[in-house]
Each structure stands twice: as C-alpha cells, then as structure tokens.
Amino acid sequence: MKIIRTGEVGSERAAVVQADGTVRVLPESFGDIDARFWGDGRVEEIRTFLATNSAVEIVNPSVRRGSPITKPEKIICIGLNYRDHANETGATIPTEPIIFMKAPNCVIGPHDEILVPRGSTKTDWEVELGVVIGTRARYLPSPKKP
C-alpha cells in the first residue's frame, strides 16, 4: 500500500495505491497527509479501514498525483551530497554537509509543471528523497534513545 494525494491542485485528497495498482480515495474524515497525519499514527487506521470497507471510491490511476505531503513544516536539504555532483559544479568536496532550507511551498506533484524563473539560462534536475519523522524529537539524550 502506498499513501498518496490525488486530485486537482488545491483539491487533493488522501488515497492509497494498492498492490494491484488500484487507487482508492479515502473518506474526507482521514484528512490530508500532513505532519499531524504521520504523528497520529493514521497508517494503521487506514489499513484497518481498507480491510473492512470495500466500498471505497476507486479513481483512474492516471488522475493527477499531488505532492506527497501537504504543508510540510520545513524542508532541510543537503548540498553537494555526492562526489560526482561536487565535481560537475567545480566545487571542492565538502568536509561537512552543506545544509540549506527550501520554502515549504516548493513541493509539487511528480508530473506538475516546474515554474522556471524568467531569464533563467540553465535549469538543473535532481531527485529528492523525503523523510517523514513521525514523532517530534528534541534534545534527545543519545542517538539511540527516543
């Protein structure tokens, strides 16, 4: 089961893609896929719901997929995170991670139009990996202890 957001921009709804490729839109009572969704452990609730409810709305798999999470609280990025990228930019390989932030509203769906700034002469491509931390963590006593 993959949890996704599907629908037109601004009207996305939480949905799941099942192993056979069937896309089922979840009832609005599940809310959207945001930080609270992950923090509240809603994934098990979805599994239980799907196991006991066969009358969930099925949508065409070609319907637009939205960004994987709505309203991310923050996006922390690591720059020049592999040797080839540092080499292609002519930068020296960093001894420590280069950390920078992106605006939360820069997240789009996988096939959405990328808005390129006026006058841009080169647009680079990259792949992003998102990590959702389901529990708030601050000032942990050790890396092993939550």
Side-chain angles (χ1 to χ4, degrees):
M1 170 180 77
K2 294 179 190 174
I3 300 171
I4 65 168
R5 298 174 65 245
T6 187
E8 295 304 313
V9 175
S11 300
E12 295 94 341
R13 295 217 6 232
V16 295
V17 180
Q18 296 181 296
D20 65 0
T22 303
V23 178
R24 296 183 181 269
V25 177
L26 297 171
E28 290 190 23
S29 61
F30 277 96
D32 209 342
I33 301 172
D34 56 13
R36 177 174 283 159
F37 174 91
W38 296 107
D40 289 348
R42 306 294 307 270
V43 176
E44 283 307 314
E45 190 178 334
I46 289 173
R47 282 192 179 102
T48 301
F49 176 82
L50 291 172
T52 58
N53 292 278
S54 59
V56 180
E57 179 185 352
I58 297 175
V59 297
N60 185 324
S62 66
V63 171
R64 176 189 171 271
R65 290 190 185 184
S67 63
I69 187 169
T70 186
K71 301 176 187 161
E73 291 181 11
K74 65 180 80 75
I75 301 171
I76 303 171
C77 307
I78 309 295
L80 300 178
N81 56 351
Y82 59 98
R83 185 175 305 274
D84 287 351
H85 186 54
N87 290 338
E88 79 179 10
T89 63
T92 57
I93 297 168
T95 57
E96 294 185 15
I98 297 172
I99 300 173
F100 62 98
M101 306 284 285
K102 285 193 176 182
N105 67 351
C106 73
V107 179
I108 61 172
H111 303 289
D112 289 348
E113 178 183 9
I114 298 171
L115 300 176
V116 179
R118 236 182 253 143
S120 177
T121 58
K122 180 181 179 197
T123 301
D124 201 1
W125 61 273
E126 52 189 27
V127 175
E128 307 295 351
L129 168 66
V131 177
V132 176
I133 301 172
T135 304
R136 188 170 300 277
R138 288 192 181 137
Y139 307 111
L140 302 178
S142 77
K144 295 180 181 178
K145 192 169 188 178

